Amino acid sequence: MLTVAMTLLIIDAIVLIVFVLLQSGKSAGLSGAISGGAEQLFGKQKAKGIDAVLHRGTVVTGSLLFILTFVIAYLI
């Protein structure tokens, strides 16, 4: 069971890295991080198309990574 969970964790981590690298940049430097971050935080910009899919995939794989890490810690 531990081997299966660790294998799933490795696969999930690789998929999460791919999702993050495929996402397009949302801001232009430090000024975009300060002003543009608030717009995204309060939902003024909606992701469309492939960006929405990548965003949802990132959230799902990140959550799965979190859960699998706790499962492995419990099994050890």
Side-chain angles (χ1 to χ4, degrees), residues 1 4 6 12 16 20 22 33 35 38-39 51 53-54 62-63 68 70 72 75-76:
M1 182 70 183
V4 172
M6 289 184 96
D12 185 51
L16 181 62
V20 169
L22 285 176
S35 63
E39 290 177 5
D51 286 336
V53 173
L54 290 174
S63 301
L68 284 172
F70 276 107
I72 290 172
L75 292 175
I76 291 180

Side-chain angles (χ1 to χ4, degrees), residues 12-65:
D12 185 51
I14 292 170
V15 171
L16 181 62
I17 290 168
V18 169
F19 278 156
V20 169
L21 290 176
L22 285 176
Q23 288 182 6
S24 61
K26 303 282 191 258
S27 63
L30 185 60
S31 63
I34 295 170
S35 63
E39 290 177 5
Q40 290 177 357
L41 179 65
F42 298 116
K44 291 184 181 176
Q45 288 182 331
K46 294 274 185 178
K48 295 181 182 175
I50 192 71
D51 286 336
V53 173
L54 290 174
H55 177 72
R56 284 199 183 110
T58 303
V59 170
V60 169
T61 54
S63 301
L64 187 60
L65 186 88

